[in-house]
Amino acid sequence: MTEQHLYNYCLRMGDNALILSYRLSEWCSNAPMLEEDLALTNFALDLIGRAQAILKYASELQGGVKTEDDLAYRRGEREYYNHLITELPNGDFAQTMVRQLFISAFEFYFFTELQKSTNVTLSAIAAKTLKEVKYHLMHATDWVIRLGDGTAESHKRMQDAINYLWMFTGELFEMDLIDTVLIEKGVGVDLMLLQPKWHRHIQQVMYDATLLIPEEGFMQTGSRKGIHTEYLGHILSEMQYLQRTYPDAIW
Amino acid sequence: MENKEQAIEEEILINFEKKIENGDSIEPKDKMPDGYRKHLIRQISQHAHSEVIGMQPEGNWITRAPTLRAKQILLAKIQDEGGHGLYLYGAAETLGISRSELIEQLHTGKAKYSNIFNYPALTWADIGAIGWLVDGAAIVNQVSLQRTSYGPYSRAMVRICKEESFHQRQGYEIMAKMMAGTKEQQEMAQDAMNRWWWPSLMMFGPHDSSSPNSGNAFKWKIKRHSNDELRHKFIDKTVQQAQVIGLTIPDKDLKWNEKTGHYEHGAINWYEFHKVIAGNGPCNKQRMEHHIKVHNDGKWVREAAEAHRLKKERQN
């Protein structure tokens, strides 16, 4: 195992948290009720904390020359490795909750396994993260059921969101050489083993919500190679604007 | 019949005023004069709406916060503001009005929110200035309200004050960092100071000599200190803090008065204050349209949640 593999593995996890946090924070002052303004900004807060911890570890792996802020604020579009689903615009509340369900269910199984990692830093981060993820998952599940089995309008919005987002879920389970190397060392998680668990979980929630999973079809891909949707560039230009405009400033 | 009702009303008033006189807190189930209830609903709802509308100018900067730490702190702060809005709506609800009625009053213009949020947050330094000056001014007022006569309002204030002092510190920290930074950062900080100073002073309301709502508010111990007293308290502590980090207060007439032990400030532009209150500030229209749009966009979610709840109730 090289440090580089572990570094890239951390960037994936850190970027997922950072970019999803960005999207969730956009709900501030935009949610359908004040309680959801609070819940969604709270998730964003959990995720930014997670991003900070993981990117800090990544920077340490590289000798600490770059800080976690440098990693967040000075990398370009092709150097980001978050899943495409995290960078998609929020859409309506239905789309945000379906996205949260898909991601939180994945993260629930992922961090449960990562707790067993032989890398003590990752296993500690996983244990802390899991507590937060359980809450995110519960919240998203409640809303998916409520809106799926609510009114005709909410049902339709939910089904549309599922149909749209489904093609972004395959990427959650993609693996490459980095994964293989880290699994061998007992550091990383075997995503192949998670997929059936995740699928069963989602199926159960969909059943309770009177919603349907689309037929298996084409899945989007690209983030493992740093190939993203057009949306990521806009996120980075907004997020990084102060650091890029005033490179000598300390904030 | 009329005489009997009048006698009951008078008895309520006498008992109520006795309680106030003794310094007892008034609780939701206590009998209270209509004027007291109305005054509180107006004041508490204005306070709740201010917390919620205040999330807009600050929320506007979350995605652009310059470091991960700054983003975390800002998110936590805005989340607190939303939480304050919730407790305060809760406190207002104990007076017999629902949250949806309160929101409707906001949308029709019957209820107000703090005028300060009709100013735009233009640069990152504005996030510092809002935390330091706007929350700083709000705390002075809220500390005084911890001893207000209505129990649920006073208890909400105690909780809120604890969190607001953290907000003020985060705002001041942003300003201090910028003043210790590059020339551009220093200019940005001073510019924010110049734009937020006077509106912050206006947050305390008109001078005591022309404050229309203070009469019963003092008698009923809703209000414990006058607008001018609170404004002075704010100026005294803030001038010193500005000096420490090298910011200039944009008031050439500001001077220390040895006799009173307070700073004296220059003339406040009340024309501007009334202009903004009347709806002609830079962001009045934007803030309200945004709140109304979001509320309307979220209607289907609230309806679906209610429909689901009813389905479950029928099943059980």
Side-chain angles (χ1 to χ4, degrees):
Chain A
M1 180 184 69
T2 65
E3 295 278 294
Q4 190 62 33
H5 289 128
L6 185 56
Y7 173 72
N8 283 339
Y9 200 70
C10 288
L11 288 186
R12 292 174 185 178
M13 287 190 285
D15 293 349
N16 277 332
L18 181 62
I19 300 300
L20 185 61
S21 168
Y22 178 99
R23 283 300 186 206
L24 287 170
S25 74
E26 288 179 319
W27 274 104
C28 177
S29 281
N30 286 301
M33 57 200 75
L34 190 50
E35 286 79 354
E36 284 308 301
D37 274 308
L38 294 183
L40 295 172
T41 45
N42 195 31
F43 292 6
L45 195 54
D46 288 343
L47 285 156
I48 194 84
R50 192 199 307 171
Q52 198 177 20
I54 297 174
L55 293 178
K56 185 166 186 289
Y57 181 51
S59 78
E60 285 164 10
L61 288 170
Q62 298 269 297
V65 183
K66 287 181 177 174
T67 65
E68 61 270 32
D69 280 329
D70 292 331
L71 290 178
Y73 288 91
R74 303 287 172 101
R75 272 183 300 148
E77 295 87 335
R78 295 282 280 105
E79 299 163 290
Y80 259 80
Y81 297 101
N82 57 285
H83 294 129
L84 302 181
I85 192 170
T86 60
E87 70 202 35
L88 300 176
N90 288 327
D92 60 5
F93 191 70
Q95 192 173 313
T96 291
M97 281 301 153
V98 171
R99 179 185 65 195
Q100 198 60 45
L101 173 71
F102 288 167
I103 294 176
S104 295
F106 168 77
E107 288 182 340
F108 172 73
Y109 293 110
F110 179 82
F111 287 109
T112 301
E113 288 305 310
L114 193 68
Q115 280 188 114
K116 301 171 200 159
S117 172
T118 54
N119 179 304
V120 288
T121 306
L122 292 189
S123 77
I125 289 174
K128 180 177 182 292
T129 301
L130 195 57
K131 287 185 197 140
E132 296 164 353
V133 167
K134 280 180 185 166
Y135 180 73
H136 303 173
L137 179 59
M138 192 172 74
H139 192 80
T141 304
D142 281 352
W143 271 113
V144 168
I145 294 172
R146 218 176 281 159
L147 297 176
D149 188 22
T151 60
E153 183 186 359
S154 70
H155 180 86
K156 181 178 183 305
R157 283 174 183 263
M158 290 300 283
Q159 193 59 59
D160 288 348
I162 293 160
N163 296 348
Y164 169 59
L165 290 173
W166 190 252
M167 65 178 163
F168 294 97
T169 58
E171 210 191 25
L172 300 173
F173 304 99
E174 270 180 24
M175 292 200 288
D176 61 12
L177 180 69
I178 293 173
D179 298 271
T180 317
V181 171
L182 293 181
I183 291 164
E184 268 173 24
K185 299 283 173 192
V187 172
V189 174
D190 188 343
L191 302 176
M192 287 273 283
L193 301 177
L194 302 190
Q195 191 159 22
K197 292 183 192 171
W198 179 85
H199 204 274
R200 269 200 302 278
H201 187 113
I202 298 296
Q203 232 164 3
Q204 181 60 48
V205 178
M206 293 297 138
Y207 176 79
D208 293 342
T210 72
L211 294 163
L212 295 171
I213 290 180
E215 302 274 312
E216 292 299 327
F218 171 75
M219 287 290 173
Q220 295 286 351
T221 180
S223 71
R224 286 285 178 264
K225 296 189 173 70
I227 307 239
H228 289 270
T229 65
E230 288 181 350
Y231 302 116
L232 183 69
H234 292 281
I235 291 178
L236 297 185
S237 40
E238 188 162 327
M239 184 173 85
Q240 298 177 337
Y241 123 84
L242 279 172
Q243 290 264 358
R244 300 273 195 192
T245 314
Y246 305 101
D248 302 327
I250 293 169
W251 304 94
Chain B
M1 190 63 188
E2 216 170 83
N3 280 345
K4 200 178 167 194
E5 271 179 19
Q6 249 176 12
I8 294 172
E9 282 296 312
E10 264 170 40
E11 202 189 323
I12 290 175
L13 189 65
I14 290 166
N15 285 335
F16 169 81
E17 288 189 339
K18 212 181 277 168
K19 271 194 173 171
I20 295 277
E21 185 67 34
N22 292 339
D24 295 344
S25 77
I26 306 297
E27 294 301 325
K29 285 185 179 155
D30 293 345
K31 294 213 160 56
M32 58 186 91
D34 218 32
Y36 181 77
R37 187 184 298 275
K38 278 190 184 143
H39 187 109
L40 278 169
I41 290 177
R42 186 177 61 79
Q43 185 169 334
I44 300 174
S45 74
Q46 172 166 344
H47 196 161
H49 296 321
S50 303
E51 297 280 0
V52 172
I53 298 294
M55 292 165 76
Q56 288 184 34
E58 296 190 295
N60 162 46
W61 275 94
I62 297 174
T63 54
R64 289 176 289 172
T67 65
L68 296 173
R69 179 173 178 273
K71 201 191 272 273
Q72 250 178 329
I73 293 174
L74 183 60
L75 268 168
K77 173 178 192 283
I78 299 175
Q79 208 193 5
D80 284 351
E81 312 285 10
H84 297 171
L86 273 184
Y87 321 147
L88 288 163
Y89 283 129
E93 280 177 321
T94 63
L95 292 158
I97 187 161
S98 69
R99 202 203 301 180
S100 57
E101 285 171 289
L102 293 169
I103 290 175
E104 196 187 316
Q105 289 184 353
L106 174 69
H107 290 175
T108 58
K110 192 181 168 209
K112 302 277 183 214
Y113 57 89
S114 177
N115 220 18
I116 194 83
F117 299 120
N118 291 319
Y119 292 88
L122 300 178
T123 71
W124 175 250
D126 289 40
I127 295 303
I130 292 175
W132 174 43
L133 299 175
V134 175
D135 289 354
I139 293 173
V140 171
N141 195 23
Q142 286 162 352
V143 164
S144 159
L145 283 170
Q146 289 183 111
R147 289 175 52 237
T148 193
S149 58
Y150 187 57
Y153 191 27
S154 136
R155 289 188 289 274
M157 281 305 127
V158 172
R159 276 181 81 171
I160 288 173
C161 280
K162 281 186 195 146
E163 292 173 348
E164 290 289 351
S165 57
F166 145 70
H167 297 175
Q168 199 204 1
R169 278 201 302 276
Q170 71 85 30
Y172 188 61
E173 187 193 290
I174 289 175
M175 293 304 248
K177 273 196 176 159
M178 292 185 77
M179 289 306 288
T182 63
K183 190 167 165 285
E184 282 160 316
Q185 284 180 296
Q186 289 168 3
E187 283 167 3
M188 218 187 273
Q190 184 63 52
D191 170 60
M193 174 85 194
N194 296 349
R195 284 181 289 109
W196 288 92
W197 173 253
W198 290 104
S200 300
L201 295 194
M202 292 176 199
M203 282 174 73
F204 297 95
H207 287 306
D208 298 347
S209 49
S210 50
S211 182
N213 289 317
S214 294
N216 277 334
F218 274 113
K219 189 170 112 194
W220 291 334
K221 296 186 182 167
I222 296 174
K223 208 172 158 80
R224 312 295 302 240
H225 298 94
S226 78
N227 293 354
D228 285 330
E229 270 177 79
L230 295 171
R231 188 166 14 241
H232 274 126
K233 215 175 233 184
F234 170 71
I235 295 173
D236 290 348
K237 70 168 183 168
T238 309
V239 169
Q240 211 179 8
Q241 290 168 352
Q243 283 166 349
V244 170
I245 56 174
L247 278 167
T248 307
I249 305 274
D251 176 359
K252 60 180 173 27
D253 297 324
L254 186 82
K255 56 175 184 289
W256 177 252
N257 184 330
E258 283 286 350
K259 272 190 208 149
T260 59
H262 292 297
Y263 280 96
E264 276 172 21
H265 59 83
I268 292 175
N269 182 350
W270 294 112
Y271 167 75
E272 180 185 313
F273 175 76
H274 290 294
K275 186 187 85 177
V276 180
I277 283 196
N280 299 317
C283 301
N284 300 57
K285 199 165 174 287
Q286 177 190 340
R287 301 285 184 247
M288 209 31 55
E289 277 178 1
H290 180 80
H291 198 275
I292 292 171
K293 182 183 181 299
V294 166
H295 190 71
N296 293 341
D297 287 352
K299 191 166 169 246
W300 71 270
V301 177
R302 297 189 298 274
E303 281 173 357
E306 181 59 13
H308 181 78
R309 193 184 64 80
L310 291 173
K311 272 186 202 175
K312 289 289 135 188
E313 227 173 58
R314 278 197 298 273
Q315 281 167 15
N316 293 332

